[in-house]
Amino acid sequence: MINTVTILPAAKNDLRSFVEKTSGQKLLRCYQCGKCTAGCPTAYLWDLTPRQVMRAVQLGLKEELMRTHSYWLCVFCQTCSARCPQEIDIAAVMDSLRHLAILEKRAPAEKEVALFHRHFLRLVHRFGKVWEVGLGGLYNLTSGHPLANTSLLPAMFARGKLPLLPHTTHNMEEIRNIFKRAEELERKSAGPETGRKA
Amino acid sequence: MAVSYAYYPGCTLKTSAREFDESTLKVCKAAGIELTELADWNCCGASSAHSVSPLLGLSLPARDLQTAEALGKPVAVACAMCFHRLKHASHALGDAAKLKQVNQVLGKEFRNTVKVEHLLTILGSNGSSYQVTKKLEGLKAASYYGCVLVRPKEVMELDDEDNPQLMDRIVASLGAETVEWDFKTECCGASLPLSKPEVVVNLSHKILRQARQRGAECVVVACPMCHSNLDIRQKAMKAAYPGFQEMPVYYFTQLMGLAMGFSAAEMHIDKHLTDGLSLLKSKGFI
Ligand code: SF4
Ligand code: SF4
């Protein structure tokens, strides 16, 4: 992907400091053995493999990394984290990368995956609980795949697996406040590492 | 002695995995384990909250844990995903600075003193006393734990990460036989079914294929997400992988219930998309 790179000192490596701060992981411990990639169930779809993602964070290749599909395809199975000989929680690093992309309002390379998370949380924000019919409906309406998974619906409905109306948490004020305060606090503590350079 | 828990069902057990909820409640009642549903619980955030906002990913489960803490009861969880999020929150909030932040978000005091246990541990521990009245003799099952139930080991505190035995022991106690296999904790595709169904079909198919190769007639699970990926995608697996043979997927509580004398209807075996009744009939269990 890139022929030459410049290794930045930590102070200038915004990507690495953000990821280290939010994931609590020591990125420089990674010695590129590749065990994370070997065990990752979805790595066959990643443009940069988990090992390469780790390297890109070490090197501070923020723009190159943010553009990839890789971290969006992590399903958080934690196989990598369990196997890393350097005891790095790689899954937490992937979480940090998604979090960074969202804080910086970047267009996700995997728009469907990002959309799924967004709708999921929209429902929790609205009802306190997830409502599967609503989640599927919102997803299909907005993803450009209006018929995604609909072939399964008749059988699911017939078995009473998909209630048409949402269950809700009663104290919704508390739930909305949780969303609001978490976002405020997170933006406040995001620090100078986030933000896109022109 | 009746043991009493605040029961956290989670969203899926109230909708597409109702059979897991209902079999859990019936089995626990019969085994003298008292489960009282946690009042006004909210979603744990599952795979989405922490993917988008780490603080939200801790605060949503913390609200539920706080409710249980105020009751002074330990929390019992059946869903592997919810269990993962609740355990993860308790573990992460061992950090005083994070706990302080979460308390700011919650707007009330949570001290993080509550214990979270999975039903596999509760039912599988020596203290639990369920009566097997109808042995499931001759049934060969593959226990499938999936990823989030056991990983990371220090946080989940459930069982070994690569070769867990807890569910195998329960299944064996019912008279059934469990097979040795390599896919116990491989990933089924997790939360990708809406956005990437083809990935789920690929990964889940590999799991069922090896279960079959090792002689299993069914797969037993403790996670509604694994169940859904393995159960409802079998038609698609057939289309994508010629020669694939369907295989029933049961919740461990459903098999427990059957062995404890409940009927197939009471255990909602007919709720699955892949036929689970024929195998049980052929064995003479129902
Ligand atoms: S397993 Fe750990 S040390 Fe090895 S490449 Fe992956 S992150 Fe680096
Ligand atoms: S947690 Fe993510 S990166 Fe790690 S093995 Fe699983 S899918 Fe791959």
Side-chain angles (χ1 to χ4, degrees):
Chain A
M1 149 185 115
I2 311 143
N3 296 322
T4 49
V5 291
T6 315
I7 299 179
L8 300 167
K12 288 203 175 153
N13 189 338
D14 285 351
L15 177 63
R16 199 180 96 211
S17 17
F18 177 84
V19 173
E20 291 198 337
K21 192 164 95 182
T22 51
S23 69
Q25 303 305 305
K26 300 231 178 339
L27 276 300
L28 291 185
R29 294 177 59 127
C30 168
Y31 52 31
Q32 294 286 292
C33 71
K35 272 190 99 172
C36 46
T37 302
C40 174
T42 60
Y44 71 99
L45 298 163
W46 297 30
D47 30 12
L48 288 188
T49 63
R51 176 186 65 79
Q52 290 171 324
V53 169
M54 296 300 286
R55 190 52 137 193
V57 182
Q58 288 179 335
L59 296 175
L61 302 174
K62 184 169 172 185
E63 292 305 317
E64 292 82 349
L65 183 54
M66 283 284 105
R67 274 201 291 274
T68 63
H69 295 250
S70 301
Y71 57 96
W72 290 108
L73 293 168
C74 164
V75 291
F76 213 73
C77 72
Q78 310 205 52
T79 309
C80 52
S81 309
R83 294 186 184 169
C84 174
Q86 288 293 79
E87 296 180 353
I88 303 171
D89 185 352
I90 299 130
V93 171
M94 301 304 160
D95 253 3
S96 288
L97 294 172
R98 282 188 288 261
H99 183 46
L100 179 61
I102 287 164
L103 275 175
E104 296 187 349
K105 299 196 164 50
R106 288 171 184 268
E110 284 290 335
K111 98 176 181 338
E112 285 90 353
V113 176
L115 206 58
F116 170 82
H117 292 313
R118 210 167 62 229
H119 289 325
F120 188 102
L121 291 177
R122 188 171 287 169
L123 288 168
V124 180
H125 183 256
R126 175 81 181 73
F127 302 114
K129 294 178 185 172
V130 168
W131 171 44
E132 287 154 316
V133 172
L135 182 59
L138 272 174
Y139 175 82
N140 286 10
L141 283 174
T142 52
S143 63
H145 307 294
L147 298 178
N149 297 290
T150 46
S151 61
L152 293 167
L153 289 180
M156 301 276 284
F157 278 122
R159 286 164 179 75
K161 283 182 164 270
L162 295 176
L164 284 173
L165 293 175
H167 295 262
T168 64
T169 301
H170 299 296
N171 194 343
M172 281 310 299
E173 200 191 325
E174 220 171 275
I175 304 292
R176 304 240 164 88
N177 278 331
I178 289 177
F179 273 80
K180 198 167 123 240
R181 293 195 206 112
E183 197 189 336
E184 283 167 5
L185 263 180
E186 231 152 32
R187 288 212 175 269
K188 232 195 306 173
S189 60
E193 298 95 350
T194 56
R196 299 166 73 170
K197 311 251 158 29
Chain B
M1 186 189 73
V3 207
S4 169
Y5 288 90
Y7 171 56
Y8 180 81
C11 308
T12 323
L13 268 75
K14 289 295 169 191
T15 53
S16 61
R18 270 175 46 204
E19 66 271 32
F20 192 16
D21 182 48
E22 287 175 27
S23 56
T24 297
L25 292 172
K26 288 193 177 108
V27 163
C28 284
K29 192 165 179 211
I33 297 161
E34 196 184 299
L35 302 181
T36 314
E37 192 168 315
L38 189 70
D40 207 32
W41 56 270
N42 58 268
C43 171
C44 67
S47 52
S48 293
H50 70 87
S51 286
V52 170
S53 151
L55 188 53
L56 185 64
L58 292 176
S59 304
L60 286 172
R63 178 180 176 271
D64 294 314
L65 294 174
Q66 200 272 340
T67 312
E69 187 177 72
L71 287 172
K73 282 190 183 181
V75 182
V77 196
C79 169
M81 185 47 123
C82 300
F83 175 70
H84 182 89
R85 294 324 310 167
L86 294 176
K87 283 293 269 188
H88 176 82
S90 320
H91 183 83
L93 296 178
D95 176 310
K98 274 197 191 135
L99 183 61
K100 198 171 149 212
Q101 261 197 332
V102 163
N103 276 336
Q104 246 174 297
V105 173
L106 293 181
K108 50 185 168 189
E109 205 208 346
F110 172 50
R111 288 174 296 122
N112 197 27
T113 56
V114 64
K115 198 165 156 202
V116 181
E117 282 196 77
H118 191 269
L119 261 305
L120 275 175
T121 310
I122 297 171
L123 286 163
S125 74
N126 298 331
S128 112
S129 56
Y130 51 89
Q131 300 289 323
V132 175
T133 54
K134 195 163 48 178
K135 288 213 160 217
L136 304 181
E137 257 155 16
L139 182 70
K140 281 192 168 178
S143 307
Y144 175 64
Y145 299 75
C147 356
V148 292
L149 195 56
V150 288
R151 278 194 291 263
K153 191 176 165 194
E154 327 72 73
V155 179
M156 297 305 120
E157 303 172 302
L158 189 104
D159 206 342
D160 188 80
E161 276 175 333
D162 291 312
N163 191 10
Q165 296 294 333
L166 206 44
M167 190 162 24
D168 292 77
R169 281 203 296 272
I170 292 183
V171 174
S173 77
L174 310 176
E177 192 186 318
T178 59
V179 303
E180 286 288 335
W181 65 317
D182 311 322
F183 279 66
K184 277 184 170 179
T185 63
E186 290 293 319
C187 173
C188 65
S191 59
L192 288 176
L194 268 183
S195 45
K196 295 251 158 216
E198 67 290 352
V199 177
V200 172
V201 170
N202 174 17
L203 298 176
S204 296
H205 156 258
K206 287 188 190 152
I207 294 167
L208 293 177
R209 186 180 59 191
Q210 208 207 34
R212 169 83 60 197
Q213 281 164 355
R214 292 295 170 88
E217 300 158 306
C218 63
V219 173
V220 190
V221 299
C223 172
M225 198 160 61
C226 301
H227 187 274
S228 149
N229 286 344
L230 294 176
D231 175 55
I232 73 176
R233 304 278 160 185
Q234 293 199 21
K235 277 214 171 72
M237 293 178 201
K238 255 183 152 164
Y241 305 97
F244 171 77
Q245 261 181 292
E246 293 190 1
M247 177 181 277
V249 185
Y250 306 110
Y251 289 107
F252 76 99
T253 43
Q254 290 180 304
L255 290 190
M256 285 186 84
L258 290 176
M260 289 161 74
F262 289 103
S263 69
E266 284 171 308
M267 290 296 108
H268 301 285
I269 306 287
D270 59 342
K271 292 278 184 239
H272 305 327
L273 266 68
T274 303
D275 171 32
L277 291 166
S278 304
L279 175 67
L280 300 175
K281 272 191 200 128
S282 75
K283 299 273 173 189
F285 303 148
I286 57 174

mmCIF file with all atom_site columns, all heavy atoms in Angstrom, chain A residues 90-109:
data_model
loop_
_atom_site.group_PDB
_atom_site.id
_atom_site.type_symbol
_atom_site.label_atom_id
_atom_site.label_alt_id
_atom_site.label_comp_id
_atom_site.label_asym_id
_atom_site.label_entity_id
_atom_site.label_seq_id
_atom_site.pdbx_PDB_ins_code
_atom_site.Cartn_x
_atom_site.Cartn_y
_atom_site.Cartn_z
_atom_site.occupancy
_atom_site.B_iso_or_equiv
_atom_site.pdbx_formal_charge
_atom_site.auth_seq_id
_atom_site.auth_comp_id
_atom_site.auth_asym_id
_atom_site.auth_atom_id
_atom_site.pdbx_PDB_model_num
ATOM 1   N N   . ILE A 1 90  ? -6.140  -6.959 21.442 1.00 0.00 ? 90  ILE A N   1
ATOM 2   C CA  . ILE A 1 90  ? -6.266  -6.418 20.087 1.00 0.00 ? 90  ILE A CA  1
ATOM 3   C C   . ILE A 1 90  ? -7.706  -6.008 19.807 1.00 0.00 ? 90  ILE A C   1
ATOM 4   O O   . ILE A 1 90  ? -7.968  -5.021 19.127 1.00 0.00 ? 90  ILE A O   1
ATOM 5   C CB  . ILE A 1 90  ? -5.765  -7.457 19.060 1.00 0.00 ? 90  ILE A CB  1
ATOM 6   C CG1 . ILE A 1 90  ? -4.288  -7.750 19.352 1.00 0.00 ? 90  ILE A CG1 1
ATOM 7   C CG2 . ILE A 1 90  ? -5.916  -6.981 17.622 1.00 0.00 ? 90  ILE A CG2 1
ATOM 8   C CD1 . ILE A 1 90  ? -3.967  -9.194 19.448 1.00 0.00 ? 90  ILE A CD1 1
ATOM 9   N N   . ALA A 1 91  ? -8.645  -6.774 20.353 1.00 0.00 ? 91  ALA A N   1
ATOM 10  C CA  . ALA A 1 91  ? -10.061 -6.429 20.151 1.00 0.00 ? 91  ALA A CA  1
ATOM 11  C C   . ALA A 1 91  ? -10.345 -5.027 20.688 1.00 0.00 ? 91  ALA A C   1
ATOM 12  O O   . ALA A 1 91  ? -11.105 -4.259 20.078 1.00 0.00 ? 91  ALA A O   1
ATOM 13  C CB  . ALA A 1 91  ? -10.957 -7.463 20.824 1.00 0.00 ? 91  ALA A CB  1
ATOM 14  N N   . ALA A 1 92  ? -9.721  -4.684 21.820 1.00 0.00 ? 92  ALA A N   1
ATOM 15  C CA  . ALA A 1 92  ? -9.935  -3.349 22.383 1.00 0.00 ? 92  ALA A CA  1
ATOM 16  C C   . ALA A 1 92  ? -9.335  -2.284 21.466 1.00 0.00 ? 92  ALA A C   1
ATOM 17  O O   . ALA A 1 92  ? -9.860  -1.167 21.368 1.00 0.00 ? 92  ALA A O   1
ATOM 18  C CB  . ALA A 1 92  ? -9.313  -3.257 23.778 1.00 0.00 ? 92  ALA A CB  1
ATOM 19  N N   . VAL A 1 93  ? -8.263  -2.634 20.767 1.00 0.00 ? 93  VAL A N   1
ATOM 20  C CA  . VAL A 1 93  ? -7.666  -1.697 19.809 1.00 0.00 ? 93  VAL A CA  1
ATOM 21  C C   . VAL A 1 93  ? -8.644  -1.448 18.657 1.00 0.00 ? 93  VAL A C   1
ATOM 22  O O   . VAL A 1 93  ? -8.859  -0.315 18.228 1.00 0.00 ? 93  VAL A O   1
ATOM 23  C CB  . VAL A 1 93  ? -6.316  -2.250 19.280 1.00 0.00 ? 93  VAL A CB  1
ATOM 24  C CG1 . VAL A 1 93  ? -5.784  -1.412 18.129 1.00 0.00 ? 93  VAL A CG1 1
ATOM 25  C CG2 . VAL A 1 93  ? -5.306  -2.319 20.427 1.00 0.00 ? 93  VAL A CG2 1
ATOM 26  N N   . MET A 1 94  ? -9.294  -2.512 18.187 1.00 0.00 ? 94  MET A N   1
ATOM 27  C CA  . MET A 1 94  ? -10.272 -2.359 17.097 1.00 0.00 ? 94  MET A CA  1
ATOM 28  C C   . MET A 1 94  ? -11.444 -1.468 17.548 1.00 0.00 ? 94  MET A C   1
ATOM 29  O O   . MET A 1 94  ? -11.958 -0.668 16.788 1.00 0.00 ? 94  MET A O   1
ATOM 30  C CB  . MET A 1 94  ? -10.795 -3.720 16.628 1.00 0.00 ? 94  MET A CB  1
ATOM 31  C CG  . MET A 1 94  ? -9.719  -4.662 16.113 1.00 0.00 ? 94  MET A CG  1
ATOM 32  S SD  . MET A 1 94  ? -8.747  -3.951 14.761 1.00 0.00 ? 94  MET A SD  1
ATOM 33  C CE  . MET A 1 94  ? -7.277  -4.982 14.831 1.00 0.00 ? 94  MET A CE  1
ATOM 34  N N   . ASP A 1 95  ? -11.857 -1.654 18.792 1.00 0.00 ? 95  ASP A N   1
ATOM 35  C CA  . ASP A 1 95  ? -12.909 -0.800 19.353 1.00 0.00 ? 95  ASP A CA  1
ATOM 36  C C   . ASP A 1 95  ? -12.486 0.666  19.322 1.00 0.00 ? 95  ASP A C   1
ATOM 37  O O   . ASP A 1 95  ? -13.251 1.542  18.945 1.00 0.00 ? 95  ASP A O   1
ATOM 38  C CB  . ASP A 1 95  ? -13.166 -1.184 20.820 1.00 0.00 ? 95  ASP A CB  1
ATOM 39  C CG  . ASP A 1 95  ? -14.490 -1.915 20.987 1.00 0.00 ? 95  ASP A CG  1
ATOM 40  O OD1 . ASP A 1 95  ? -15.162 -2.167 19.972 1.00 0.00 ? 95  ASP A OD1 1
ATOM 41  O OD2 . ASP A 1 95  ? -14.839 -2.236 22.140 1.00 0.00 ? 95  ASP A OD2 1
ATOM 42  N N   . SER A 1 96  ? -11.245 0.919  19.725 1.00 0.00 ? 96  SER A N   1
ATOM 43  C CA  . SER A 1 96  ? -10.748 2.294  19.743 1.00 0.00 ? 96  SER A CA  1
ATOM 44  C C   . SER A 1 96  ? -10.758 2.899  18.345 1.00 0.00 ? 96  SER A C   1
ATOM 45  O O   . SER A 1 96  ? -11.049 4.083  18.176 1.00 0.00 ? 96  SER A O   1
ATOM 46  C CB  . SER A 1 96  ? -9.317  2.353  20.266 1.00 0.00 ? 96  SER A CB  1
ATOM 47  O OG  . SER A 1 96  ? -9.307  2.106  21.635 1.00 0.00 ? 96  SER A OG  1
ATOM 48  N N   . LEU A 1 97  ? -10.416 2.084  17.354 1.00 0.00 ? 97  LEU A N   1
ATOM 49  C CA  . LEU A 1 97  ? -10.374 2.604  15.982 1.00 0.00 ? 97  LEU A CA  1
ATOM 50  C C   . LEU A 1 97  ? -11.775 2.969  15.491 1.00 0.00 ? 97  LEU A C   1
ATOM 51  O O   . LEU A 1 97  ? -11.979 4.004  14.862 1.00 0.00 ? 97  LEU A O   1
ATOM 52  C CB  . LEU A 1 97  ? -9.715  1.585  15.043 1.00 0.00 ? 97  LEU A CB  1
ATOM 53  C CG  . LEU A 1 97  ? -8.227  1.329  15.331 1.00 0.00 ? 97  LEU A CG  1
ATOM 54  C CD1 . LEU A 1 97  ? -7.700  0.177  14.488 1.00 0.00 ? 97  LEU A CD1 1
ATOM 55  C CD2 . LEU A 1 97  ? -7.390  2.592  15.075 1.00 0.00 ? 97  LEU A CD2 1
ATOM 56  N N   . ARG A 1 98  ? -12.756 2.122  15.815 1.00 0.00 ? 98  ARG A N   1
ATOM 57  C CA  . ARG A 1 98  ? -14.140 2.454  15.431 1.00 0.00 ? 98  ARG A CA  1
ATOM 58  C C   . ARG A 1 98  ? -14.588 3.730  16.135 1.00 0.00 ? 98  ARG A C   1
ATOM 59  O O   . ARG A 1 98  ? -15.217 4.605  15.543 1.00 0.00 ? 98  ARG A O   1
ATOM 60  C CB  . ARG A 1 98  ? -15.088 1.310  15.820 1.00 0.00 ? 98  ARG A CB  1
ATOM 61  C CG  . ARG A 1 98  ? -15.042 0.136  14.874 1.00 0.00 ? 98  ARG A CG  1
ATOM 62  C CD  . ARG A 1 98  ? -16.139 -0.857 15.226 1.00 0.00 ? 98  ARG A CD  1
ATOM 63  N NE  . ARG A 1 98  ? -15.838 -1.564 16.468 1.00 0.00 ? 98  ARG A NE  1
ATOM 64  C CZ  . ARG A 1 98  ? -15.310 -2.780 16.525 1.00 0.00 ? 98  ARG A CZ  1
ATOM 65  N NH1 . ARG A 1 98  ? -15.062 -3.434 15.421 1.00 0.00 ? 98  ARG A NH1 1
ATOM 66  N NH2 . ARG A 1 98  ? -15.062 -3.354 17.681 1.00 0.00 ? 98  ARG A NH2 1
ATOM 67  N N   . HIS A 1 99  ? -14.228 3.791  17.407 1.00 0.00 ? 99  HIS A N   1
ATOM 68  C CA  . HIS A 1 99  ? -14.605 4.939  18.209 1.00 0.00 ? 99  HIS A CA  1
ATOM 69  C C   . HIS A 1 99  ? -14.006 6.219  17.618 1.00 0.00 ? 99  HIS A C   1
ATOM 70  O O   . HIS A 1 99  ? -14.686 7.236  17.482 1.00 0.00 ? 99  HIS A O   1
ATOM 71  C CB  . HIS A 1 99  ? -14.095 4.691  19.629 1.00 0.00 ? 99  HIS A CB  1
ATOM 72  C CG  . HIS A 1 99  ? -14.452 5.744  20.608 1.00 0.00 ? 99  HIS A CG  1
ATOM 73  N ND1 . HIS A 1 99  ? -15.718 6.268  20.708 1.00 0.00 ? 99  HIS A ND1 1
ATOM 74  C CD2 . HIS A 1 99  ? -13.703 6.375  21.548 1.00 0.00 ? 99  HIS A CD2 1
ATOM 75  C CE1 . HIS A 1 99  ? -15.721 7.187  21.660 1.00 0.00 ? 99  HIS A CE1 1
ATOM 76  N NE2 . HIS A 1 99  ? -14.520 7.275  22.181 1.00 0.00 ? 99  HIS A NE2 1
ATOM 77  N N   . LEU A 1 100 ? -12.759 6.129  17.195 1.00 0.00 ? 100 LEU A N   1
ATOM 78  C CA  . LEU A 1 100 ? -12.080 7.284  16.610 1.00 0.00 ? 100 LEU A CA  1
ATOM 79  C C   . LEU A 1 100 ? -12.776 7.707  15.307 1.00 0.00 ? 100 LEU A C   1
ATOM 80  O O   . LEU A 1 100 ? -13.047 8.892  15.086 1.00 0.00 ? 100 LEU A O   1
ATOM 81  C CB  . LEU A 1 100 ? -10.615 6.925  16.341 1.00 0.00 ? 100 LEU A CB  1
ATOM 82  C CG  . LEU A 1 100 ? -9.744  8.010  15.703 1.00 0.00 ? 100 LEU A CG  1
ATOM 83  C CD1 . LEU A 1 100 ? -9.677  9.249  16.598 1.00 0.00 ? 100 LEU A CD1 1
ATOM 84  C CD2 . LEU A 1 100 ? -8.327  7.485  15.454 1.00 0.00 ? 100 LEU A CD2 1
ATOM 85  N N   . ALA A 1 101 ? -13.080 6.712  14.470 1.00 0.00 ? 101 ALA A N   1
ATOM 86  C CA  . ALA A 1 101 ? -13.734 7.026  13.196 1.00 0.00 ? 101 ALA A CA  1
ATOM 87  C C   . ALA A 1 101 ? -15.069 7.718  13.440 1.00 0.00 ? 101 ALA A C   1
ATOM 88  O O   . ALA A 1 101 ? -15.444 8.656  12.733 1.00 0.00 ? 101 ALA A O   1
ATOM 89  C CB  . ALA A 1 101 ? -13.936 5.744  12.389 1.00 0.00 ? 101 ALA A CB  1
ATOM 90  N N   . ILE A 1 102 ? -15.770 7.280  14.478 1.00 0.00 ? 102 ILE A N   1
ATOM 91  C CA  . ILE A 1 102 ? -17.076 7.873  14.763 1.00 0.00 ? 102 ILE A CA  1
ATOM 92  C C   . ILE A 1 102 ? -16.919 9.275  15.335 1.00 0.00 ? 102 ILE A C   1
ATOM 93  O O   . ILE A 1 102 ? -17.602 10.210 14.924 1.00 0.00 ? 102 ILE A O   1
ATOM 94  C CB  . ILE A 1 102 ? -17.890 6.949  15.683 1.00 0.00 ? 102 ILE A CB  1
ATOM 95  C CG1 . ILE A 1 102 ? -18.343 5.742  14.864 1.00 0.00 ? 102 ILE A CG1 1
ATOM 96  C CG2 . ILE A 1 102 ? -19.101 7.663  16.268 1.00 0.00 ? 102 ILE A CG2 1
ATOM 97  C CD1 . ILE A 1 102 ? -18.809 4.575  15.660 1.00 0.00 ? 102 ILE A CD1 1
ATOM 98  N N   . LEU A 1 103 ? -15.962 9.433  16.270 1.00 0.00 ? 103 LEU A N   1
ATOM 99  C CA  . LEU A 1 103 ? -15.723 10.765 16.840 1.00 0.00 ? 103 LEU A CA  1
ATOM 100 C C   . LEU A 1 103 ? -15.370 11.764 15.736 1.00 0.00 ? 103 LEU A C   1
ATOM 101 O O   . LEU A 1 103 ? -15.738 12.927 15.800 1.00 0.00 ? 103 LEU A O   1
ATOM 102 C CB  . LEU A 1 103 ? -14.555 10.712 17.837 1.00 0.00 ? 103 LEU A CB  1
ATOM 103 C CG  . LEU A 1 103 ? -14.861 10.290 19.270 1.00 0.00 ? 103 LEU A CG  1
ATOM 104 C CD1 . LEU A 1 103 ? -13.556 10.193 20.056 1.00 0.00 ? 103 LEU A CD1 1
ATOM 105 C CD2 . LEU A 1 103 ? -15.796 11.265 19.953 1.00 0.00 ? 103 LEU A CD2 1
ATOM 106 N N   . GLU A 1 104 ? -14.635 11.273 14.747 1.00 0.00 ? 104 GLU A N   1
ATOM 107 C CA  . GLU A 1 104 ? -14.206 12.184 13.682 1.00 0.00 ? 104 GLU A CA  1
ATOM 108 C C   . GLU A 1 104 ? -15.180 12.210 12.506 1.00 0.00 ? 104 GLU A C   1
ATOM 109 O O   . GLU A 1 104 ? -14.859 12.785 11.464 1.00 0.00 ? 104 GLU A O   1
ATOM 110 C CB  . GLU A 1 104 ? -12.806 11.775 13.199 1.00 0.00 ? 104 GLU A CB  1
ATOM 111 C CG  . GLU A 1 104 ? -11.771 11.930 14.296 1.00 0.00 ? 104 GLU A CG  1
ATOM 112 C CD  . GLU A 1 104 ? -10.335 11.698 13.819 1.00 0.00 ? 104 GLU A CD  1
ATOM 113 O OE1 . GLU A 1 104 ? -10.142 11.216 12.682 1.00 0.00 ? 104 GLU A OE1 1
ATOM 114 O OE2 . GLU A 1 104 ? -9.425  12.022 14.586 1.00 0.00 ? 104 GLU A OE2 1
ATOM 115 N N   . LYS A 1 105 ? -16.312 11.556 12.692 1.00 0.00 ? 105 LYS A N   1
ATOM 116 C CA  . LYS A 1 105 ? -17.370 11.546 11.680 1.00 0.00 ? 105 LYS A CA  1
ATOM 117 C C   . LYS A 1 105 ? -16.849 11.138 10.297 1.00 0.00 ? 105 LYS A C   1
ATOM 118 O O   . LYS A 1 105 ? -17.115 11.796 9.289  1.00 0.00 ? 105 LYS A O   1
ATOM 119 C CB  . LYS A 1 105 ? -18.036 12.922 11.580 1.00 0.00 ? 105 LYS A CB  1
ATOM 120 C CG  . LYS A 1 105 ? -18.705 13.378 12.870 1.00 0.00 ? 105 LYS A CG  1
ATOM 121 C CD  . LYS A 1 105 ? -19.646 14.529 12.590 1.00 0.00 ? 105 LYS A CD  1
ATOM 122 C CE  . LYS A 1 105 ? -20.637 14.801 13.692 1.00 0.00 ? 105 LYS A CE  1
ATOM 123 N NZ  . LYS A 1 105 ? -20.132 14.929 15.047 1.00 0.00 ? 105 LYS A NZ  1
ATOM 124 N N   . ARG A 1 106 ? -16.080 10.088 10.265 1.00 0.00 ? 106 ARG A N   1
ATOM 125 C CA  . ARG A 1 106 ? -15.558 9.611  8.988  1.00 0.00 ? 106 ARG A CA  1
ATOM 126 C C   . ARG A 1 106 ? -16.580 8.707  8.323  1.00 0.00 ? 106 ARG A C   1
ATOM 127 O O   . ARG A 1 106 ? -17.295 7.982  9.001  1.00 0.00 ? 106 ARG A O   1
ATOM 128 C CB  . ARG A 1 106 ? -14.267 8.818  9.208  1.00 0.00 ? 106 ARG A CB  1
ATOM 129 C CG  . ARG A 1 106 ? -13.107 9.704  9.593  1.00 0.00 ? 106 ARG A CG  1
ATOM 130 C CD  . ARG A 1 106 ? -11.926 8.892  10.003 1.00 0.00 ? 106 ARG A CD  1
ATOM 131 N NE  . ARG A 1 106 ? -10.857 9.759  10.454 1.00 0.00 ? 106 ARG A NE  1
ATOM 132 C CZ  . ARG A 1 106 ? -9.893  10.232 9.654  1.00 0.00 ? 106 ARG A CZ  1
ATOM 133 N NH1 . ARG A 1 106 ? -9.844  9.898  8.392  1.00 0.00 ? 106 ARG A NH1 1
ATOM 134 N NH2 . ARG A 1 106 ? -8.966  11.030 10.140 1.00 0.00 ? 106 ARG A NH2 1
ATOM 135 N N   . ALA A 1 107 ? -16.579 8.717  6.992  1.00 0.00 ? 107 ALA A N   1
ATOM 136 C CA  . ALA A 1 107 ? -17.467 7.814  6.263  1.00 0.00 ? 107 ALA A CA  1
ATOM 137 C C   . ALA A 1 107 ? -16.887 6.408  6.389  1.00 0.00 ? 107 ALA A C   1
ATOM 138 O O   . ALA A 1 107 ? -15.747 6.173  6.018  1.00 0.00 ? 107 ALA A O   1
ATOM 139 C CB  . ALA A 1 107 ? -17.538 8.228  4.802  1.00 0.00 ? 107 ALA A CB  1
ATOM 140 N N   . PRO A 1 108 ? -17.641 5.464  6.958  1.00 0.00 ? 108 PRO A N   1
ATOM 141 C CA  . PRO A 1 108 ? -17.077 4.135  7.182  1.00 0.00 ? 108 PRO A CA  1
ATOM 142 C C   . PRO A 1 108 ? -16.941 3.339  5.889  1.00 0.00 ? 108 PRO A C   1
ATOM 143 O O   . PRO A 1 108 ? -17.829 3.387  5.035  1.00 0.00 ? 108 PRO A O   1
ATOM 144 C CB  . PRO A 1 108 ? -18.095 3.468  8.101  1.00 0.00 ? 108 PRO A CB  1
ATOM 145 C CG  . PRO A 1 108 ? -19.371 4.195  7.846  1.00 0.00 ? 108 PRO A CG  1
ATOM 146 C CD  . PRO A 1 108 ? -19.020 5.594  7.434  1.00 0.00 ? 108 PRO A CD  1
ATOM 147 N N   . ALA A 1 109 ? -15.825 2.599  5.767  1.00 0.00 ? 109 ALA A N   1
ATOM 148 C CA  . ALA A 1 109 ? -15.642 1.767  4.580  1.00 0.00 ? 109 ALA A CA  1
ATOM 149 C C   . ALA A 1 109 ? -16.671 0.635  4.553  1.00 0.00 ? 109 ALA A C   1
ATOM 150 O O   . ALA A 1 109 ? -17.040 0.153  3.500  1.00 0.00 ? 109 ALA A O   1
ATOM 151 C CB  . ALA A 1 109 ? -14.229 1.188  4.564  1.00 0.00 ? 109 ALA A CB  1
#
